[in-house]
Amino acid sequence: MPAPILATKLYVPPPRTEVVPRPCLIRHLNEGLRRKLTLISAPAGFGKSTLLSEWLAGCEWPAAWLSLDKGDNDPTRFLAYLVAVLQTIETGMGAGAQSLLQSPQPLPTESLLTALLNEISTVQEDFVLVLDDYHVIEAGAVDEALAFLIDHRPPQMHLVIATREDPQLPLARLRARGQLAELRAADLRFTPNEAAMFLNEVMGLGLSVEEVGALEYRTEGWIAGLQLAALSMQGRRDTTGFVQAFTGSHRFVLDYLVEEVLQRQPDRVRTFLLQTSILDRLSGPLCDAVTGLEDGSRTLEALERGNLFVVPLDDERRWYRYHHLFAEALYVRLMSEQPDQAPTLHRRASEWYEHNGLPSEAIRHALAAGDFGRAAALIELSARATLMGRQEETFMGWLRALPDEEVHRRPVLGVYYALALVSHDLETGEARLRDAERLLDGTAHANEVVVVDEEEFRALPGIAAITRAYHAGALGDVSGSVRHARRALDLLPEDEPLWRGAAASLLGLAHWADGDLEAAYRFIADGMESLRMAGDATQSLSGAFILADIRTAQGRLREAERIYERALKLAEDHDENAPPGLADLYVGMAEVRLERGDLEAASRCLQKSGELGERGGISENRYRWYVAKSRIERARGDLDAALDLLDEAQRVYVRSPDPETRPISALKTRVWIRQGRLDEASDWARERGLSDRDDLAYLREFEHITLVRVLIARYKNERKEHLVRNATELLDRLLEAAEKGRRTGSVVEILVLKALASQAGDDVPDALACLARALALAEPEGYIRTFVDEGVPMARLLTEAANRGIAPVYTEKLLAAFDSVPRRGEGESHPSLAEPLSGRELEVLRLIARGLSNREISERLFLAVITVKGHNRNIFRKLGVRRRTEAVARARELGLL
């Protein structure tokens, strides 16, 4: 059995015994260690890898080297190799991220990188990470991942990128901040002295000064060109004639030199070079399979000894690759001389990879051979494992490379294609599913249908129904989601616990969206048990998060907390690495701890979630980390930070069957109300089409409660009686619906608002009666923030309740909580301000006082100009001014400057 293909990626080029010393470049690389990134960007053949090899051989820091290829455009594969290569620095580094990558649930790339960065930050010594051949990366997702890695780089890691073209990274910003070291083609080209040393001392040619000068001039210091020229001149007597004939652009020079090199090889070696040029990586057995000979290992060793552009990829010399430029030239020559042979060679490579358990490479070569039937069969056999391994981009890339008719006649491929697409592109996923269902419902001719994996085919109707249920749920079609999920359970055999668990969970989510929380809890719990039987611990953790969410909606905070605690203990007992979904549990625990008034414990839970690297876990719930963090900032009084976090939550939110019971836009509206921005709050209500006369539905309950808040706030400003009357009538209807649905969490909030509405209308007895009911429901579960977040009006009501002996112990605890939270910025702001300036606003205000323009402030604080203008508006509003000069004068009056 050959070495695993992964071993070919973990490559640090061995130091060459004969290289041209380049002390200036080595010094430049050493100086670059103080920066975030070193970029070596130059065309092929300028000695980038050789220079790095020489530098690392003398560098005190250990190094990890990752050679990239086109397959690494899949983000999951890129991250898998990144983690693997880092483990050559320290065993176990990135083990947690590695575990996340193997999860069947898709995780956001930033979450995986955060987990990896947290683990890197624990490494004790400095090290270098080299990404070689980065020019093969075309995927924006990989560029974004690398940009995130650079922005959040731990200080002990220095990144080096070698590439033929500039990557799509924020190079200008890094350059402006002094965080980028660069080497370009002009730096790497050989000087005349270096060219002479290379040609005469390393290659042993004994050329004259004039001949060296001519070659250096004509190649412009291009190292590969000089090397190819030197190989062509070895054994020649008329070196002067060769040098004089050596002209033309790089492409023509390369064509000429490769022809010269190839013509000087024995026929057997020449044939070997051409036939194996189809391979990205070479091993003896693989080359034997492709060429039909039995001397692959010996030939590779001889090519390496002869310095014939063969690079070893491991210490055992089991895997090699050709110099990229040489490989490209060989392949061009093969296609010129023997174009009909290439498909056969690719097919042989595909068969070897298949028999050696490397399906991805087998599929790639089958596609290159144009053998689409073989490729489709291999993809079908790998479909479940590829998708469960979260390599959706790889899977969809394979299918896009097939002719449509090949996919359309294979129902297994069609359904799995739809399953992969539906979480990214609902419309396209549904279209693919329709095509596949046509093959399943018997309307297609038998000779049109091709099935390779019979076992997978038998489960296909149920998997298709699950995909339908997901699609309907994501569109908000609750009845459709229920119908398809029930059909999936009817169709799936009992020995398919993975898919049965998924169907039951989708059914539970549909009931949740419909407001039947108890039925939702029951179905999701059953689904989690099926997934546990299937060995899917990740989904079990995600299910615990949902179950606790439901209990929270039911007002059962203590039970929700117990669910989180049990799941956390289970995760810690059964997996030494952090499984996907674990960070979700810490987010949920943070929300419970926050509601119960323990801000510090809530903050610690969110910090733990961040350290685990998921920022909210699976992609559907990622936004919740930002929502929870926003509520903490709101509790601390930093409303601008709370809004920024909600903006980020909105950016990362992904539509899914999980019911959106607390829309982010409504959460933002609640912050606007606290800021006194009632025009924006009213605009939100109009845009959402909300009215106090609407028919009520569970999925709009949170929005209608938010509408009540808008009406009460407007009444306090405008004193129009119909506003508080409309609010009260809507609250009565909301209360009836919430009580009927046994959603005690909503009932408590609605009663609190009824108390505040009555207080605003000067009906204190009714206000206290509503408050007493709310307190009676809330006290056993330990609610705190639901009351404290209402501010001074609630404090006054609670004081009156305490005076009248209403829940005296609980009201005393709640009143104490009003004073227990430090308000961020108040230490520097002024007590006469109704809303204190945040720390960032104070920074902007001080720069305004120094006379800086908005653009100058944006550059100083690394903010967008539009963000600075937003801070200006907030400062003016809080200070009660309209102009910069007035703001500065007012701030000085208050002692802020």
Side-chain angles (χ1 to χ4, degrees):
M1 182 73 180
I5 198 71
L6 180 62
T8 69
K9 308 287 285 188
L10 312 185
Y11 161 59
V12 176
R16 295 184 49 161
T17 56
E18 294 184 0
V19 295
V20 176
R22 313 199 74 181
C24 291
L25 298 182
I26 297 297
R27 185 165 57 251
H28 190 84
L29 290 170
N30 285 331
E31 291 170 354
L33 290 173
R34 297 195 295 268
R35 317 228 176 138
K36 279 191 174 185
L37 171 66
T38 293
L39 175 68
I40 305 179
S41 180
F46 272 87
K48 299 181 289 292
S49 299
T50 301
L51 173 64
L52 284 173
S53 175
E54 179 187 356
W55 171 55
L56 292 176
C59 183
E60 295 179 359
W61 294 9
W65 185 300
L66 178 56
S67 295
L68 300 167
D69 59 39
K70 286 188 177 295
D72 297 321
N73 279 285
D74 185 293
T76 300
R77 173 169 162 158
F78 173 82
L79 292 174
Y81 282 133
L82 183 65
V83 171
V85 77
L86 286 170
Q87 291 178 350
T88 65
I89 296 292
E90 181 172 302
T91 303
M93 189 197 308
Q98 196 169 48
S99 173
L100 301 183
L101 281 165
Q102 295 167 359
S103 161
Q105 280 291 337
L107 295 171
T109 301
E110 281 189 15
S111 300
L112 294 167
L113 285 171
T114 303
L116 179 59
L117 288 165
N118 287 331
E119 295 186 72
I120 292 173
S121 66
T122 65
V123 176
Q124 297 300 311
E125 61 179 352
D126 296 327
F127 68 92
V128 177
L129 170 62
V130 176
L131 300 181
D132 196 15
D133 295 332
Y134 194 81
H135 53 270
V136 301
I137 299 299
E138 300 171 347
V142 176
D143 288 330
E144 290 170 9
L146 189 58
F148 183 90
L149 188 72
I150 293 169
D151 283 344
H152 300 84
R153 174 194 66 96
Q156 57 266 58
M157 182 181 78
H158 180 72
L159 182 63
V160 178
I161 294 176
T163 177
R164 294 184 187 177
E165 58 188 40
D166 282 5
Q168 297 299 308
L169 298 173
L171 299 180
R173 188 185 71 202
L174 292 170
R175 193 177 294 119
R177 295 180 180 179
Q179 296 171 341
L180 176 66
E182 298 177 81
L183 286 175
R184 301 284 178 174
D187 305 305
L188 296 172
R189 59 189 295 180
F190 271 168
T191 65
N193 287 339
E194 289 170 337
M197 185 178 297
F198 172 76
L199 292 168
N200 290 332
E201 297 183 21
V202 176
M203 303 303 293
L205 292 178
L207 301 179
S208 68
V209 173
E210 291 76 18
E211 288 170 336
V212 170
L215 280 178
E216 192 277 331
Y217 174 78
R218 289 169 182 169
T219 61
E220 300 183 55
W222 179 45
I223 299 170
L226 288 168
Q227 186 176 13
L228 287 169
L231 286 171
S232 297
M233 281 190 287
Q234 286 179 340
R236 280 182 177 270
R237 294 181 180 177
D238 184 17
T239 56
T240 301
F242 177 89
V243 170
Q244 289 175 347
F246 188 79
T247 60
S249 68
H250 285 176
R251 182 168 62 86
F252 295 115
V253 168
L254 183 60
D255 288 345
Y256 177 81
L257 289 177
V258 169
E259 185 176 338
E260 287 291 303
V261 171
L262 284 175
Q263 284 179 350
R264 292 178 177 275
Q265 304 305 317
D267 287 344
R268 179 184 59 81
V269 173
R270 186 176 185 277
T271 299
F272 179 93
L273 290 170
L274 292 176
Q275 290 183 343
T276 57
S277 67
I278 66 159
L279 301 171
D280 290 340
R281 296 174 177 82
L282 313 160
S283 73
L286 174 56
C287 290
D288 290 344
V290 170
T291 63
L293 303 175
E294 297 181 353
D295 60 350
S297 296
R298 290 193 302 274
T299 302
L300 289 170
E301 291 169 4
L303 292 174
E304 183 192 4
R305 286 195 303 271
N307 199 28
L308 201 61
F309 299 102
V310 176
V311 181
L313 297 178
D314 53 44
D315 294 336
E316 293 80 19
R317 298 302 201 266
R318 298 169 70 180
W319 287 93
Y320 296 83
R321 68 168 174 85
Y322 290 128
H323 182 287
H324 296 311
L325 208 59
F326 189 56
E328 292 166 4
L330 289 175
Y331 190 72
V332 169
R333 181 63 56 181
L334 171 70
M335 297 306 293
S336 172
E337 294 182 0
Q338 307 169 40
D340 296 338
Q341 195 176 13
T344 301
L345 299 173
H346 278 296
R347 194 173 297 110
R348 291 174 183 172
S350 175
E351 291 169 357
W352 186 90
Y353 278 120
E354 180 191 6
H355 296 151
N356 284 275
L358 297 165
S360 294
E361 295 295 325
I363 292 166
R364 186 174 67 80
H365 280 285
L367 290 171
D371 191 343
F372 298 122
R374 172 179 174 77
L378 290 169
I379 295 168
E380 182 171 328
L381 292 169
S382 302
R384 182 185 287 214
T386 303
L387 288 182
M388 294 305 101
R390 293 185 51 254
Q391 297 189 52
E392 294 92 347
E393 290 298 327
T394 294
F395 180 73
M396 291 190 289
W398 291 338
L399 295 185
R400 284 192 289 265
L402 292 174
D404 263 357
E405 58 268 21
E406 197 68 57
V407 179
H408 286 158
R409 64 198 187 109
R410 294 176 182 267
V412 174
L413 290 187
V415 171
Y416 271 112
Y417 199 2
L419 187 63
L421 280 167
V422 75
S423 61
H424 301 85
D425 184 340
L426 289 172
E427 185 177 342
T428 306
E430 201 271 340
R432 286 289 180 180
L433 186 58
R434 280 200 310 271
D435 291 340
E437 287 170 334
R438 187 179 62 84
L439 300 179
L440 295 175
D441 63 13
T443 59
H445 294 297
N447 59 2
E448 291 181 19
V449 181
V450 178
V451 175
V452 177
D453 192 333
E454 292 289 346
E455 183 177 351
E456 205 69 38
F457 180 73
R458 284 192 291 274
L460 218 53
I463 301 171
I466 287 171
T467 309
R468 280 279 175 205
Y470 186 102
H471 181 267
L475 291 176
D477 179 4
V478 175
S479 61
S481 188
V482 170
R483 185 174 68 255
H484 292 301
R486 287 191 183 281
R487 182 167 181 268
L489 288 172
D490 291 340
L491 292 170
L492 288 164
E494 293 293 332
D495 61 354
E496 275 284 5
L498 178 67
W499 294 119
R500 290 188 66 84
S505 299
L506 285 166
L507 193 56
L509 292 175
H511 281 294
W512 186 9
D514 204 32
D516 189 347
L517 272 57
E518 202 54 49
Y521 189 96
R522 185 172 62 255
F523 277 108
I524 292 171
D526 290 346
M528 293 309 103
E529 178 59 22
S530 293
L531 292 169
R532 186 193 64 77
M533 291 171 58
D536 192 342
T538 298
Q539 288 287 12
S540 296
L541 293 182
S542 300
F545 180 71
I546 295 171
L547 293 175
D549 249 3
I550 292 173
R551 287 301 189 232
T552 300
Q554 293 175 316
R556 295 156 72 171
L557 295 184
R558 297 188 187 280
E559 188 174 345
E561 188 172 33
R562 287 193 294 272
I563 292 172
Y564 288 131
E565 289 171 346
R566 286 196 299 267
L568 287 169
K569 187 174 188 310
L570 184 67
E572 291 163 0
D573 288 348
H574 289 82
D575 199 327
E576 60 182 16
N577 298 317
L582 181 58
D584 264 355
L585 301 179
Y586 280 104
V587 171
M589 185 69 86
E591 291 173 336
V592 172
R593 297 273 167 82
L594 175 60
E595 176 54 53
R596 297 176 69 179
D598 193 342
L599 266 67
E600 294 309 314
S603 296
R604 287 194 298 271
C605 287
L606 282 187
Q607 182 179 358
K608 179 65 174 177
S609 176
E611 290 170 358
L612 289 170
E614 292 184 74
R615 291 286 180 88
I618 61 176
S619 59
E620 293 93 327
N621 296 322
R622 181 185 176 199
Y623 76 101
R624 288 279 291 273
W625 189 94
Y626 296 100
V627 170
K629 182 67 173 172
S630 170
R631 194 174 175 200
I632 289 176
E633 293 303 321
R634 177 179 167 180
R636 288 174 171 162
D638 194 340
L639 300 182
D640 290 333
L643 278 177
D644 289 343
L645 286 160
L646 289 175
D647 285 339
E648 187 63 17
Q650 207 155 35
R651 186 184 71 81
V652 302
Y653 177 77
V654 176
R655 189 168 56 167
S656 78
D658 289 12
E660 191 182 7
T661 57
R662 291 158 56 88
I664 298 167
S665 62
L667 291 167
K668 291 172 68 174
T669 300
R670 294 182 175 210
V671 179
W672 288 339
I673 294 170
R674 284 283 298 275
Q675 292 179 320
R677 296 160 65 178
L678 298 186
D679 287 344
E680 283 133 299
S682 299
D683 288 344
W684 165 81
R686 279 192 294 273
E687 288 167 7
R688 296 294 298 157
L690 293 168
S691 163
D692 57 280
R693 294 179 298 277
D694 289 338
D695 292 334
L696 301 183
Y698 173 60
L699 282 183
R700 303 209 79 181
E701 183 175 78
F702 190 80
E703 289 185 311
H704 279 120
I705 293 172
T706 305
L707 173 62
V708 167
R709 293 180 176 278
V710 176
L711 294 173
I712 294 173
R714 286 183 57 198
Y715 172 73
K716 290 179 179 179
N717 267 18
E718 302 171 24
R719 308 308 295 181
K720 294 179 179 177
E721 292 299 326
H722 74 276
L723 293 171
V724 72
R725 184 172 58 252
N726 292 346
T728 301
E729 291 172 358
L730 178 54
L731 283 169
D732 289 339
R733 293 197 297 131
L734 287 167
L735 180 61
E736 181 182 358
E739 288 178 332
K740 183 178 179 180
R742 291 182 289 180
R743 298 188 294 273
T744 305
S746 296
V747 170
V748 171
E749 183 181 6
I750 292 166
L751 286 170
V752 164
L753 287 176
K754 278 179 65 67
L756 292 172
S758 294
Q759 180 195 43
D762 296 325
D763 189 348
V764 175
D766 187 66
L768 289 173
C770 293
L771 179 60
R773 290 178 61 191
L775 292 170
L777 292 171
E779 183 174 12
E781 300 297 330
Y783 279 84
I784 297 291
R785 295 308 312 179
T786 293
F787 297 91
V788 174
D789 284 347
E790 301 302 335
V792 174
M794 177 54 65
R796 290 172 180 160
L797 264 184
L798 287 169
T799 300
E800 186 64 28
N803 291 338
R804 300 191 185 196
I806 300 173
V809 176
Y810 190 31
T811 53
E812 182 179 350
K813 182 179 180 180
L814 290 173
L815 287 167
F818 277 88
D819 300 323
S820 64
V821 182
R823 318 294 281 185
R824 182 176 300 172
E826 282 188 359
E828 297 178 87
S829 195
H830 195 276
S832 68
L833 288 178
E835 184 183 340
L837 298 179
S838 68
R840 177 65 86 183
E841 288 164 356
L842 284 167
E843 283 185 275
V844 172
L845 178 59
R846 288 168 186 146
L847 294 176
I848 289 173
R850 291 170 56 185
L852 273 66
S853 67
N854 287 338
R855 181 164 298 281
E856 289 169 333
I857 294 172
S858 73
E859 292 170 354
R860 180 73 59 88
L861 298 180
F862 300 109
L863 299 172
V865 173
I866 192 171
T867 302
V868 174
K869 291 180 178 178
H871 286 309
N872 288 347
R873 286 194 296 272
N874 291 335
I875 292 167
F876 295 171
R877 174 176 53 79
K878 292 177 181 182
L879 294 179
V881 299
R882 293 186 177 182
R883 299 179 180 84
R884 280 173 156 239
T885 53
E886 293 173 355
V888 172
R890 175 66 172 152
R892 286 177 175 150
E893 177 186 326
L894 294 173
L896 297 176
L897 295 175

